Each structure stands twice: as structure tokens, then as C-alpha cells.
Amino acid sequence: MPDIVIAFFVLGLTAGLLKSDLKVPPSIYETLSIMLMLVLGLKGGMALHGQYSHDMLEKLIPIALLGLLIPLLLYPLLKRLIGLSQADSVSVAAHYGSVSAGTFAVVLALVESQQLPLSPETTLYLVVLELPAIVGMLWLHQKLSGEGSTWSILRESLTSRGVLLLGGGVLIGVLYGPAGLAPLTPVLFGGFKTMLALFLLEMGLCTARACSPLPLAQWRLLAFAAVAPFALAWLGIGLSLWLQLPHGSALVLTALTASASYIAAPAAIRAAIPSANIGLALLAALGITFPVNVLVGIPVYQQWLSWFYLNS
């Protein structure tokens, strides 16, 4: 059986496809997304408390470079093969180079429930993959179109809600550690799976809205969104094996490289590239790639990695 939180995503998806009147109030969804990103940052910071080493930096740098490489590889594919405009190619590539906090929460919950080994800096993968992708693609758009400035690109990227919450959570966790955060542990960490379940319920409803009706005229983009996760996952697997990451960290990195952002990237792209059709990016990232990863991809990636780790 898949993890219990996946059942809530399926419930939301089913309710949405059946045109149910089930809704998660916007204020509740905003609260859940804020809490999830903050808790993920705090978890990473607590794991890093008193654990910093030069080896961590040596592993995070190649992961950050992968976050920059993925959108640069996807941009010409989206422009020439999928047939998107320059602005939309940059937008979709940035969404896929950036990563999904929801997917990260799901795979982290799976790894923790199965007690797979994790390196202390695993939560930082989310930050170091997300920023280079967004900044790199906004810079590319600036060079191609002459719109915007380097300072505005950095400001929009570094001050986005996701980056501030994740980065701030990591910093607080590093400074205070498990002892300092003990008063918050029962509510924030004890309720993590409950928050994730309700968040995924809303994600199921959002996915149904994005795909109803399914815009078949965009069949090339839909096919890309369904196939890309399985191809991108191999970049994560290859880097994990090269860096000799623990099994749990490798699964997290693989799921992240296979994912696409629908929280941080849309906000940054909407502000920096007004001509981009954010709806297309969300259709691909949230409507197709997110459910593919949550329902099918993560178990498949785990099987692929298990084969390598059992035979190494």
C-alpha cells in the first residue's frame, strides 16, 4: 500500500473530477503551505545543528549545478520540439529546473517511515536546486529579450516566500537545534503528516481543476510532462551514485530532479516575465508531473535505486 498521505491526494483528485463541492478554504491552504515549508526548513536545520563539515559543501555544489543544468537542457527541447514561445519555454524550463516542495514532503515522509538512511544536509537539496534554476532561466530570458535587470531577478528569486521560509527555517534550526526547538516539536513536527495530508487533499483538487477539461491541443506539452520525470530522475540517480549518497538521500534527490515547481517558480516567473503563460507551466507541473510522481514515479524511482544499492 502507498503511504497514507497519498490516499488524501487521490481523494481530492477524485472529488475534483466528480465536480464535488469539496473545497479547502484558500486561507487554510495558504497556512498549510507556509507551515509545510517552514517545518521542512526546520527539520533540515535541526539535522545540520553541530553537524557541518566540508564534505557537505562538496556535495551541495554539484547538486546546485544540476539545478542550473536541467532547465538549460530543457529550454531548447521545449522551444524546438514542443513548439513553445521563447517566454513560455523559459517559464516551463524554470518550473522543471526548480523543484516541488510538495513532492519533497511526500518523499521525505516515505523515507522517514521506512527509516532509510539520510545525510544531515538532505533538506538543503530543496533550496540549492530551486534557486539556480529560477535565477539562471530569468537571466537567460533577460539576455534573449533585454527585459528586466540582474538586480530585479535576484530580488524576485531571493525574496520569494518559499526561499525565505525554507532558508529561514534552516537557519533557525541550525542555531537552536533540537533542544531549542523542543517546545515547538509536538505541534510542528508531530503534526507534519496531518498537515501534509490536508495539503495533498487540496493538491488533488487543484490537479483536477488544471486538467478539466484536458487541453488536447497542448498534447506535446502534456506528453512532455508525463515522460520528463522518468528521464530527469536518471540525472538524480547518476549524481546520487557519483556522490555516494545514502539510500534515503538518493531517493529524495532523485524525486526532486524528477519534479517541477508549482509554488516558488510561478511567483518568480509571473513577476519577471509577464508575457509568459503561467497556466501552461502549471498545467504541466501540477496537472501532470506532480500526480505522475506521487502516484507512480516515486515507487518506481525507489525500485531503480534499490537495485543499484543492493548490487553495489
Side-chain angles (χ1 to χ4, degrees):
M1 291 287 289
D3 195 283
I4 182 61
V5 295
I6 305 301
F8 285 82
F9 175 80
V10 175
L11 174 61
L13 179 62
T14 303
L17 293 176
L18 293 176
K19 307 297 184 183
S20 167
D21 61 354
L22 175 63
K23 293 180 180 179
V24 175
S27 59
I28 300 296
Y29 168 71
E30 289 294 323
T31 301
L32 288 171
S33 63
I34 288 172
M35 294 290 285
L36 276 176
M37 286 187 282
L38 182 59
V39 170
L40 290 171
L42 290 171
K43 277 176 172 277
M46 287 173 62
L48 285 170
H49 181 71
Q51 298 291 324
Y52 175 78
S53 68
H54 184 67
D55 181 60
M56 289 183 183
L57 186 61
E58 291 180 344
K59 291 181 178 179
L60 289 174
I61 290 175
I63 293 172
L65 292 175
L66 180 62
L68 181 61
L69 176 65
I70 288 174
L72 291 176
L73 291 175
L74 293 180
Y75 171 76
L77 173 67
L78 290 162
K79 194 169 190 301
R80 296 171 186 171
L81 187 60
I82 309 302
L84 299 180
S85 67
Q86 176 183 300
D88 287 334
S89 297
V90 168
S91 171
V92 174
H95 281 72
Y96 277 81
S98 182
V99 292
S100 164
T103 304
F104 178 79
V106 171
V107 72
L108 186 64
L110 173 67
V111 167
E112 291 178 343
S113 68
Q114 296 187 3
Q115 298 182 330
L116 297 177
L118 283 168
S119 57
E121 73 277 9
T122 301
T123 300
L124 294 180
Y125 297 170
L126 190 62
V127 179
V128 299
L129 281 168
E130 186 168 74
L131 270 180
I134 295 175
V135 174
M137 293 314 292
L138 292 183
W139 178 85
L140 176 63
H141 177 72
Q142 179 201 0
K143 295 301 179 184
L144 293 175
S145 65
E147 297 177 8
S149 66
T150 302
W151 167 246
S152 65
I153 288 172
L154 290 174
R155 182 177 59 80
E156 292 293 343
S157 302
L158 295 174
T159 60
S160 67
R161 179 180 64 179
V163 171
L164 285 176
L165 287 169
L166 288 167
V170 169
L171 181 60
I172 292 171
V174 168
L175 293 175
Y176 284 85
L181 288 167
L184 302 179
T185 298
V187 175
L188 289 181
F189 302 138
F192 175 72
K193 271 213 165 183
T194 301
M195 290 187 289
L196 178 58
L198 293 174
F199 178 80
L200 288 178
L201 176 67
E202 172 62 10
M203 287 298 95
L205 292 167
C206 289
T207 299
R209 288 195 295 268
C211 295
S212 298
L214 198 64
L216 297 179
Q218 298 292 340
W219 66 269
R220 288 186 180 88
L221 181 61
L222 298 177
F224 164 83
V227 173
F230 299 98
L232 294 174
W234 282 103
L235 295 177
I237 291 173
L239 185 57
S240 298
L241 296 175
W242 182 62
L243 294 175
Q244 298 181 332
L245 298 180
H247 192 168
S249 296
L251 180 56
V252 170
L253 179 60
T254 300
L256 283 177
T257 58
S259 71
S261 173
Y262 49 82
I263 297 176
I269 296 297
R270 185 181 286 112
I273 313 178
S275 58
N277 184 348
I278 296 297
L280 286 178
L282 288 177
L283 169 67
L286 178 59
I288 305 296
T289 295
F290 181 73
V292 164
N293 273 326
V294 169
L295 298 176
V296 180
I298 292 175
V300 170
Y301 311 148
Q302 186 174 16
Q303 290 181 359
W304 289 346
L305 280 165
S306 295
W307 187 89
F308 284 108
Y309 279 81
L310 289 174
N311 291 276
S312 61

